[in-house]
Amino acid sequence: MELQAVLMAAGGGSRMTDLTYNTPKAMLPVGNKPLMWYPLNLLERMGFEEVIVITTKEVQKMMSTDPKMKLDVKMKLDVVCIQEDGDMGTADALRHIQQKIKTDILVVSCDLITDVALHEVVDLFRAHNATLAMLMSKAHEFTETVPGQKGKKKTAEQRDFVGVDQSGKRLLFMANEADLEDGLSIRKSIMRKHPRMHIKTGLVDAHLYCLKKAVVDFLADNKQNPLKLCECFIISTPNSALPLLISSRDEPLLQLAQDRSCWNDHRGDMSEAYHGGKLRCYVHIMDEGPCYRVNTLAAYIEANRLAPKLFEEVPVHPSAVISERCQMGSDSYIGAMCQIADKTSIKRSTIGNSTTVKEKVKVANSIIMHGVTIEEGCNIQGSVICSNAVIGRGADLKYCLVGNGQQIEPEVFVGT
């Protein structure tokens, strides 16, 4: 494979701490698989045989015991652990593995679930000898009620403003609304080269990038003040900043490639290819199909609805024991080693591995994680129940989030 794959799986899930307090984001169950299983599966289907996984020791330990990770993932996983309490962003993580990088790289976040044709991004990268090619998708409006937030006004998401050329492929400008105190400002040099620029909103950075090896080398060589040493292009998103850099020692090679190329990226004039730009960024915008960053509670709920359908999961794991008198909807999923008793009703819900559901329980529009016990006569609606929780007899939960290992007293009503 001409690209090395890198999976970023060390993030703490700061936007959904209720879920990640006891379980790292990379190992949160989505459709009864660890979240990081989905980007790994995407890479495996693309033909990768080895992936560098940047993560923490806690995640590494959980990976070694998770049956889905052990049995389903056939690729070799080169696990690199970083400090769990370290504030290490994408650039720092790439510096950390620089010695392992021998070619250009494909970087993927552990919280991405998509069925994108990955070659669309890779082909852009190849065709234009780009510094970076990235994936973006249309922003999703999540319709499900989020536990604990019923009736509350939604916090408006900060928009990204994305500037592309007339082809819609070359990325010229990107800024977040939070950084635009005095309005949208675009450099004159960009406008001179690209007088007709399309400014798009309603797009989400999927955190999937193809990057030149020179970017990683530069990051490793220049940790303190890179702006003095090279030309640089910076893409900023609300939660991270990924500098796309190339050192001056590579400029002769870039110039030679341009001089010998007969290809041009625009028509109607005699201007040089790429308008003379040595640092070129491209974007593939996924107009249709699922593409989710599972980094909020709303996105986590949506992903649990989507993921099993995306991969055509069997509704009931063969090892689960389900009473014949259980009413189960066609859009529900029961995990391994579950026990579902008589007179139960499960609709539009995911039941995690090794969960026990006793008699006369109703579960609707809910996510039940692993190892949960639901006692007799409970009613659970629109809720997320984290692993190893115990729901007492006759409890009535509506739009609740029950934390890892929590116990709900019998006969209580909890709702919003």
Side-chain angles (χ1 to χ4, degrees):
M1 179 60 66
E2 63 189 278
L3 294 170
Q4 285 180 268
V6 179
L7 182 73
M8 298 291 183
S14 59
R15 299 176 69 187
M16 48 180 183
T17 53
D18 290 326
L19 298 181
T20 58
Y21 182 76
N22 288 99
T23 304
K25 179 173 71 170
M27 296 302 293
L28 282 176
V30 175
N32 290 331
K33 294 182 175 71
L35 178 54
M36 67 185 300
W37 180 94
Y38 294 93
L40 286 171
N41 179 265
L42 176 69
L43 293 170
E44 194 163 59
R45 286 186 282 120
M46 181 67 180
F48 284 95
E49 297 179 353
E50 182 174 349
V51 181
I52 300 172
V53 180
I54 302 176
T55 189
T56 64
K57 289 184 178 179
E58 182 183 9
V59 173
Q60 182 186 36
K61 183 178 179 181
M62 295 177 73
M63 288 170 60
S64 66
T65 58
D66 187 277
K68 284 293 181 183
M69 295 297 297
K70 291 171 65 176
L71 299 176
D72 288 4
V73 179
K74 307 301 182 185
M75 296 180 296
K76 178 183 176 182
L77 303 182
D78 182 2
V79 179
V80 178
C81 293
I82 62 175
Q83 291 183 359
E84 295 184 29
D85 57 351
D87 185 17
M88 186 176 287
T90 301
D92 287 330
L94 292 176
R95 285 190 185 101
H96 191 71
I97 62 167
Q98 189 254 351
Q99 295 298 322
K100 292 179 175 286
I101 302 302
K102 309 301 180 185
T103 68
D104 298 338
I105 60 174
L106 176 64
V107 181
V108 189
S109 174
C110 73
D111 61 11
L112 177 63
I113 297 181
T114 182
D115 65 353
V116 67
L118 199 53
H119 70 84
E120 298 276 8
V121 183
V122 176
D123 289 350
L124 269 180
F125 183 71
R126 291 169 175 157
H128 301 285
N129 191 26
T131 310
L132 167 138
M134 65 184 296
L135 174 67
M136 300 192 84
S137 69
K138 291 183 177 180
H140 299 279
E141 185 67 33
F142 299 114
T143 56
E144 297 285 344
T145 300
V146 177
Q149 298 181 18
K150 187 178 181 182
K152 294 183 181 179
K153 186 177 180 180
K154 290 184 179 180
T155 303
E157 290 282 340
Q158 299 285 356
R159 293 178 298 171
D160 282 327
F161 292 87
V162 180
V164 295
D165 69 359
Q166 287 181 276
S167 72
K169 296 293 186 182
R170 186 165 183 183
L171 182 62
L172 306 173
F173 174 86
M174 188 170 174
N176 184 255
E177 189 174 10
D179 302 322
L180 304 177
E181 296 179 1
D182 301 319
L184 188 62
S185 177
I186 301 173
R187 296 198 309 270
K188 288 183 179 179
S189 59
I190 296 178
M191 296 304 297
R192 281 196 299 268
K193 293 179 179 180
H194 303 276
R196 298 190 65 181
M197 181 193 305
H198 299 281
I199 303 292
K200 296 177 178 287
T201 58
L203 297 176
V204 175
D205 179 359
H207 282 213
L208 185 152
Y209 313 103
C210 289
L211 282 170
K212 285 287 188 186
K213 179 180 182 294
V215 174
V216 182
D217 292 339
F218 182 86
L219 289 172
D221 292 342
N222 303 278
K223 297 180 180 180
Q224 301 301 322
N225 194 8
L227 292 177
K228 290 183 179 179
L229 302 175
C230 75
E231 187 178 1
C232 106
F233 185 95
I234 297 178
I235 292 179
S236 295
T237 64
N239 298 317
S240 65
L242 178 65
L244 310 181
L245 312 163
I246 195 161
S247 62
S248 57
R249 65 171 179 255
D250 293 303
E251 289 184 6
L253 287 176
L254 287 172
Q255 188 61 52
L256 181 63
Q258 289 180 0
D259 291 344
R260 294 188 176 182
S261 175
C262 62
W263 188 87
N264 204 313
D265 65 330
H266 48 91
R267 298 177 180 178
D269 57 47
M270 295 298 291
S271 298
E272 57 188 314
Y274 301 105
H275 296 283
K278 295 182 177 66
L279 302 180
R280 298 188 290 275
C281 300
Y282 283 81
V283 58
H284 172 64
I285 299 173
M286 190 172 174
D287 291 318
E288 297 181 356
C291 186
Y292 294 91
R293 290 283 314 285
V294 185
N295 57 3
T296 65
L297 182 53
Y300 179 76
I301 293 169
E302 189 75 14
N304 272 276
R305 309 263 185 262
L306 161 83
K309 298 175 184 177
L310 193 60
F311 292 90
E312 298 181 352
E313 289 293 312
V314 294
V316 179
H317 192 277
S319 64
V321 178
I322 301 181
S323 168
E324 294 181 357
R325 300 176 69 183
C326 167
Q327 295 182 348
M328 177 180 159
S330 59
D331 48 4
S332 294
Y333 297 88
I334 311 295
M337 307 300 291
C338 285
Q339 297 186 36
I340 312 295
D342 286 347
K343 299 179 182 179
T344 53
S345 172
I346 300 173
K347 297 180 179 178
R348 292 194 77 223
S349 298
T350 300
I351 309 296
N353 301 335
S354 302
T355 287
T356 299
V357 180
K358 297 189 177 178
E359 294 84 358
K360 300 178 182 179
V361 168
K362 294 181 180 180
V363 180
N365 299 320
S366 295
I367 299 167
I368 314 298
M369 296 191 192
H370 304 320
V372 173
T373 299
I374 304 176
E375 299 289 352
E376 181 181 349
C378 292
N379 180 31
I380 300 173
Q381 179 180 338
S383 298
V384 176
I385 314 297
C386 294
S387 295
N388 304 312
V390 177
I391 312 301
R393 184 178 183 275
D396 190 353
L397 307 183
K398 293 185 178 179
Y399 302 103
C400 294
L401 196 159
V402 178
N404 189 293
Q406 283 191 323
Q407 296 193 15
I408 302 298
E409 295 296 323
E411 306 293 341
V412 301
F413 170 79
V414 183
T416 57

